[in-house]
């Protein structure tokens, strides 16, 4: 059974969908298996709610602890994603003839780590060690030669790959080489941008992640209560009612959450070094509330005569739009990917 | 007989025209170049094609930065087209109309992204004279990244929407291959074009060293080759490899000095014009004078020698060209072999 992860923007949301899909895959014999028609749906909802609460709780704890710990969490997720994806496409019987070939994957992984995090965190590392003269010179030199060191490591891996090419297995090895690159690019592009965003301000990681979570949860609830029309053949349980309801919910919560999150300096200040202490800064024009008087056509009972809206809230509306329209496609990609490789597994079992 | 990705498409081209020739006489066990009867005739063919290619290349260098970049873009388009076609399976493709368009959509997005980033400052500098055009170009450059991201997301959504039941695996593989091909093609050309606009020297010297390495390896192998180098390419020999390494290092040192004297090659291009270049030479290219030791100047007429700092760096480039660059050739050989095996299987079944 393919419980493997595919790549998408929110690994832990995908995880939640996993635990439930198993329960319902058993009762897939029927034609229509929309969530509204499912008998077991209340039990599965409890399971989902329980795991969601734990995951959101753990996530909130890490946000509280700070930038460095969030980065560490992302690195750990990355390592697990890469390992699963590396294993997804290896063929064990072919691999036994190629000792040391697996090491090549991890060599490229290590090179990518050094490259990506060296570039993003290089300046911050230098800022952390300004107090110590020796360490400062050492770190500055490392940062200066970071690119050429990574290039040398990559070239060494390339040469190693050529030297391990074995007659009769060229196609498998080239295929694996291409997959390694593809996997590393998928895993590291996401995490590189995420970590870069975090050090600009936890807000820029927390808001999009929260919107994706809200979109997913809202799509589930709207589908649970109102879902009738299937959305796409790839994911038979998704419905148009869920999609549209979730879009509205996401846009509204984007507007509201940006306001709430924008008040905390812990979330809006950029981190210039690798410390874990409290942050103080001038938040910048994006987070300064501007006062708008409520227009005349608003009803009389509306208690507020003027509203304080931060410019970031308008940007958050765009983020909400993206989260509600494009993000579900990430889920469809993962579904299609799982399906593409489950087909392969079944074929091997038949033959 | 297809092209695959490597550092010097031009060199690979030359190797191809000869390998087709000699593949006919591959029945024997040892087929080193020294033992080949037809080698003089194949050497004439190689020399002829090499002369034409070097001539064409020199012409493009003379024409300037923009034309070299255009040549690279053309090479890129052909590489991408061949690589896209390498792995398609036509019977599956017939059921997926419009799927090929997706490849070219991603190609266009990659073009916009890579050349937009590299040439944006040069483009802005070109249109400073015209107020309207300047504002337009500045705005385009400002929103360049989000435009490319939007195009990529559109391609991603398009891919998901075209997923067809029972063909998921083929489509996902094609998607991964498209990314792989575009990365291989665009990383090389992006760095090459970026180097060109910093000064043609930084493109011409490495390219020339690779050519010299290849030619020298061929000639050394032709006359002295006895010990095979690697199973992947049976005609390469250790004598060719070592002889070529020495030749490359020496010519790196000399060529850097010769090329460093031309402003056309050493000056960076700040805009997209094609006119003559003037600039203050970089400290790299200013010759430093070293007095020669006494025993040397007693034998030879020179009392001091002028060495540019760039010549020492050129030695490192020469070392890389002689040791690492042949592996690019081995990669291409292995790649061709990997996919020829596949074709043979299809023909047998």
């Amino acid at each position: 059974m393919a419980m493997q992860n595919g790549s998408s923007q929110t690994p832990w949301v995908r995880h939640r969908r996993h635990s439930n899909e198993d329960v319902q895959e058993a009762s897939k014999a029927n034609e229509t298996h929309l969530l509204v028609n499912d008998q077991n749906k209340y039990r599965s909802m409890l399971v989902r709610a329980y795991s969601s609460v734990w995951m959101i709780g753990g996530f909130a704890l890490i946000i509280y602890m700070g930038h460095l710990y969030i980065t560490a969490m992302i690195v750990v997720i990355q390592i697990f994603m890469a390992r699963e994806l590396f294993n997804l496409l290896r063929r064990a019987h072919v691999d036994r003839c190629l000792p040391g070939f697996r090491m090549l994957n991890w060599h490229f992984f290590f090179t990518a780590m050094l490259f990506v995090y060296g570039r993003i965190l290089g300046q911050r590392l230098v800022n952390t060690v300004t107090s110590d003269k020796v360490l400062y010179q050492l770190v500055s030199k490392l940062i200066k030669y970071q690119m050429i060191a990574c290039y040398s490591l990559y070239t060494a891996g390339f040469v190693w790959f050529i030297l391990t090419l074995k007659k009769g297995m060229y196609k498998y090895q080239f295929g694996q080489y291409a997959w390694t690159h593809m996997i590393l690019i998928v895993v590291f592009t996401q995490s590189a941008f995420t970590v870069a965003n975090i050090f600009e301000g936890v807000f820029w990681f927390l808001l999009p992640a929260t919107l994706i979570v809200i979109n997913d949860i809202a799509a589930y609830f709207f589908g649970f209560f109102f879902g009738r029309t299937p959305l796409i053949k790839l994911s038979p349980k998704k419905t148009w009612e869920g999609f549209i309801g979730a879009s509205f919910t996401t846009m509204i919560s984007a507007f509201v959450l940006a306001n709430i999150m924008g008040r905390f300096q812990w979330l809006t200040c950029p981190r210039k070094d690798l410390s874990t202490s409290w942050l103080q800064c001038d938040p910048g024009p994006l987070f300064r509330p501007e006062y708008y008087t409520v227009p005349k056509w608003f009803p009389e009972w509306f208690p507020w005569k003027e509203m304080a809206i931060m410019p970031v809230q308008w940007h958050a509306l765009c983020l909400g739009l993206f989260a509600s329209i494009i993000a579900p496609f990430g889920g469809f990609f993962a579904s299609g990917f799982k399906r593409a490789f489950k087909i392969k597994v079944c074929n091997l079992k038949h033959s | 007989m297809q092209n695959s990705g490597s550092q010097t498409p031009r060199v690979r081209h030359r190797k191809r025209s000869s390998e087709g020739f000699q593949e006919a006489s591959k029945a024997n066990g040892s087929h080193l170049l020294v033992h080949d009867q037809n080698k003089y005739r194949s050497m004439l063919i190689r020399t002829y094609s090499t002369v034409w290619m070097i001539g064409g290349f020199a012409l493009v260098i003379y024409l300037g930065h923009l034309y070299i970049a255009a040549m690279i873009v053309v090479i890129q388009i052909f590489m991408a087209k061949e690589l896209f076609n390498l792995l398609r399976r036509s019977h599956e493709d017939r059921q997926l109309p419009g799927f090929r368009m997706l490849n070219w959509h991603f190609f266009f997005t990659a073009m916009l992204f890579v050349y937009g980033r590299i040439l944006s400052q040069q483009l802005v500098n070109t249109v400073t004279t015209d107020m309207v055009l300047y504002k337009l170009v500045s705005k385009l450059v400002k929103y360049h990244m989000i435009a490319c991201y939007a195009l990529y997301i559109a391609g991603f959504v398009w891919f998901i929407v075209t997923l067809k039941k029972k063909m998921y695996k083929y489509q996902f593989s094609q998607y991964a291959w498209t990314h792989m091909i575009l990365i291989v093609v665009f990383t090389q050309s992006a760095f090459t074009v970026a180097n060109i606009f910093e000064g043609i020297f930084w493109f011409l010297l490495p390219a020339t060293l690779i050519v010299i390495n290849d030619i020298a390896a061929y000639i050394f192998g032709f006359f002295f080759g006895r010990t095979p180098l690697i199973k992947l390419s049976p005609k390469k020999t250790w004598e060719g490899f070592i002889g070529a390494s020495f030749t490359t290092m020496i010519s790196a040192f000399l060529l850097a000095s010769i090329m460093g004297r031309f402003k056309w090659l050493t000056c960076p291009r700040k805009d997209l014009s094609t006119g003559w270049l003037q600039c203050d030479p970089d400290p790299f290219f200013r010759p430093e004078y070293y007095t020669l030791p006494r025993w040397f100047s007693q034998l030879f007429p020179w009392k001091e020698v002028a060495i540019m700092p760039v010549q020492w760096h050129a030695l490192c480039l020469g070392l890389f060209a002689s040791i690492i660059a042949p592996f690019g050739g081995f990669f291409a050989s292995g790649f061709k072999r990997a996919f020829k095996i596949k074709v043979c299987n299809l023909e047998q079944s």
Side-chain angles (χ1 to χ4, degrees), chain A residues 122-153:
Chain A
Q123 192 49 47
R124 290 172 172 97
L125 186 63
V126 169
N127 290 344
T128 313
V129 296
T130 38
S131 43
D132 188 342
K133 197 88 172 91
V134 172
L135 213 55
Y136 179 75
Q137 278 173 345
L138 178 69
V139 169
S140 301
K141 211 171 270 295
L142 282 176
I143 298 296
K144 184 176 167 193
Y145 292 115
Q146 184 238 343
M147 288 293 270
I148 192 135
C150 291
Y151 185 66
S152 312
L153 280 172

Side-chain angles (χ1 to χ4, degrees), chain A residues 297-316:
Chain A
W297 49 266
F298 256 62
E300 282 293 314
W301 49 263
F302 203 68
W304 302 286
K305 283 285 171 276
E306 62 173 20
M307 306 211 310
I309 298 182
M310 301 178 193
V312 77
Q313 290 183 258
W314 306 116
H315 294 280

Side-chain angles (χ1 to χ4, degrees), chain B residues 210-281:
Chain B
I210 304 271
V211 172
I212 286 175
N213 189 59
D214 231 53
I215 295 176
Y218 178 77
I219 291 175
F220 276 89
F222 192 92
F223 290 118
F224 307 115
R226 296 261 178 274
T227 337
L229 180 59
I230 192 172
K231 283 206 209 76
L232 263 177
S233 298
K235 281 200 288 288
K236 304 256 179 272
T237 57
W238 274 102
E239 291 81 9
F241 181 69
I242 293 175
S245 301
F246 277 115
T247 313
T248 309
M249 302 281 282
I250 294 168
S251 29
F253 197 76
L254 293 174
L255 277 176
S257 171
I258 297 172
M259 288 187 194
R261 294 166 206 228
F262 296 96
K263 282 228 175 100
W264 182 242
L265 300 180
T266 60
C267 289
R269 176 76 85 178
K270 297 285 185 205
D271 58 19
L272 298 179
S273 65
T274 47
W276 226 227
L277 273 179
Q278 277 293 327
C279 69
D280 239 343

Side-chain angles (χ1 to χ4, degrees), chain B residues 152-309:
Chain B
Y152 179 80
I153 294 289
F156 178 77
V157 169
W158 181 1
F159 167 71
I160 301 281
V161 166
T162 59
L163 281 176
K164 212 167 161 177
K165 218 178 154 102
K166 300 265 186 281
M167 306 197 65
Y168 294 147
K169 187 156 186 284
Y170 173 71
Q171 289 179 286
F172 271 94
S173 307
Q174 289 293 305
Y175 189 73
W177 270 119
T178 302
H179 280 69
M180 205 50 219
I181 287 166
L182 290 177
I183 284 154
V184 161
V185 167
F186 277 92
T187 324
Q188 292 181 43
S189 58
F191 288 146
T192 311
V193 171
N195 274 351
I196 286 168
F197 280 88
E198 290 291 327
I200 296 180
F201 180 91
W202 299 108
F203 163 67
L204 190 59
L205 181 65
T208 311
L209 290 179
I210 304 271
V211 172
I212 286 175
N213 189 59
D214 231 53
I215 295 176
Y218 178 77
I219 291 175
F220 276 89
F222 192 92
F223 290 118
F224 307 115
R226 296 261 178 274
T227 337
L229 180 59
I230 192 172
K231 283 206 209 76
L232 263 177
S233 298
K235 281 200 288 288
K236 304 256 179 272
T237 57
W238 274 102
E239 291 81 9
F241 181 69
I242 293 175
S245 301
F246 277 115
T247 313
T248 309
M249 302 281 282
I250 294 168
S251 29
F253 197 76
L254 293 174
L255 277 176
S257 171
I258 297 172
M259 288 187 194
R261 294 166 206 228
F262 296 96
K263 282 228 175 100
W264 182 242
L265 300 180
T266 60
C267 289
R269 176 76 85 178
K270 297 285 185 205
D271 58 19
L272 298 179
S273 65
T274 47
W276 226 227
L277 273 179
Q278 277 293 327
C279 69
D280 239 343
D282 208 75
F284 257 172
F285 297 103
R286 279 193 221 118
E288 291 178 6
Y289 294 92
Y290 297 87
T291 37
L292 291 168
R294 263 176 155 247
W295 55 266
F296 196 82
S297 44
Q298 273 164 2
L299 297 171
F300 294 97
W302 301 291
K303 287 247 175 340
E304 58 176 21
V305 64
I307 298 182
M308 299 178 195

Side-chain angles (χ1 to χ4, degrees), chain A residues 20-50:
Chain A
N20 182 42
E21 259 169 353
D22 264 343
V23 171
Q24 280 156 345
E25 232 128 38
S27 54
K28 225 188 186 182
N30 308 343
E31 199 62 0
T32 57
H33 35 257
L34 293 172
L35 207 53
V36 166
N37 302 331
D38 202 325
Q39 299 300 73
N40 286 326
K41 67 178 186 175
Y42 287 99
R43 190 178 77 183
S44 68
M45 181 166 96
L46 278 174
V47 170
R48 284 194 178 216
Y50 186 70

